[in-house]
């Protein structure tokens, strides 16, 4: 469970690091926010801000063959960088680790 929480924290940090502030980000407003806490079985959340940042993430509790349980996470973040390019980062965090995907990432 500590591993899963570490992955969740890492996802948040990566999204924040890649979401470079725009000129109007100091005045950005939350346009949409949804959160569904399913308890220990998982969660779903999403938000969108007026400066173009969007994020959606969901997690569910998965049973593994060895009898252990862990959250598997699936999500994405979209933002506009200072170069005015729109970036999208898709990611999965599961028993295989954190797996980011994006056209801007090396393969």
């Amino acid at each position: 469970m500590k591993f899963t929480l570490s992955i969740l924290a890492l996802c948040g940090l990566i999204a924040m690091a890649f979401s470079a502030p725009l000129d109007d980000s100091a005045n950005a407003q939350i346009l949409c926010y949804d959160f569904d806490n399913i308890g220990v079985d998982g969660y779903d959340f999403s938000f969108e801000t007026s400066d173009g940042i969007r994020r959606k993430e969901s997690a569910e509790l998965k049973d593994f063959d060895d009898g252990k349980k862990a959250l598997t996470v699936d999500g994405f973040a979209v933002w506009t960088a200072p170069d005015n390019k729109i970036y999208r980062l898709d990611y999965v965090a599961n028993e295989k680790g954190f797996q980011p995907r994006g056209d801007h990432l090396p393969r």
Side-chain angles (χ1 to χ4, degrees):
M1 194 66 157
K2 287 183 181 179
F3 175 73
T4 303
L5 293 176
S6 297
I7 289 176
L8 294 175
L10 179 62
C11 293
L13 290 173
I14 288 173
M16 287 177 16
F18 282 117
S19 59
L22 299 174
D23 291 340
D24 63 347
S25 65
N27 299 315
Q29 297 179 9
I30 296 173
L31 302 176
C32 177
Y33 177 78
D34 292 308
F35 181 71
D36 183 18
N37 184 354
I38 308 167
V40 296
D41 292 329
Y43 62 86
D44 291 298
F45 81 83
S46 64
F47 69 84
E48 183 175 353
T49 62
S50 61
D51 60 349
I53 296 173
R54 290 185 297 136
R55 186 164 172 212
K56 180 169 178 39
E57 183 174 296
S58 62
E60 65 178 320
L61 190 62
K62 182 177 177 184
D63 293 316
F64 293 96
D65 293 333
D66 60 3
K68 294 182 180 177
K69 295 181 180 188
L71 287 175
T72 58
V73 179
D74 185 8
F76 73 87
V78 177
W79 67 95
T80 303
D83 60 5
N84 287 325
K85 289 184 182 177
I86 297 174
Y87 291 89
R88 178 178 172 118
L89 176 70
D90 293 281
Y91 56 89
V92 173
N94 57 24
E95 69 276 9
K96 296 177 184 176
F98 180 69
Q99 303 156 59
R101 297 178 311 275
D103 292 339
H104 61 288
L105 297 177
R107 297 180 189 245

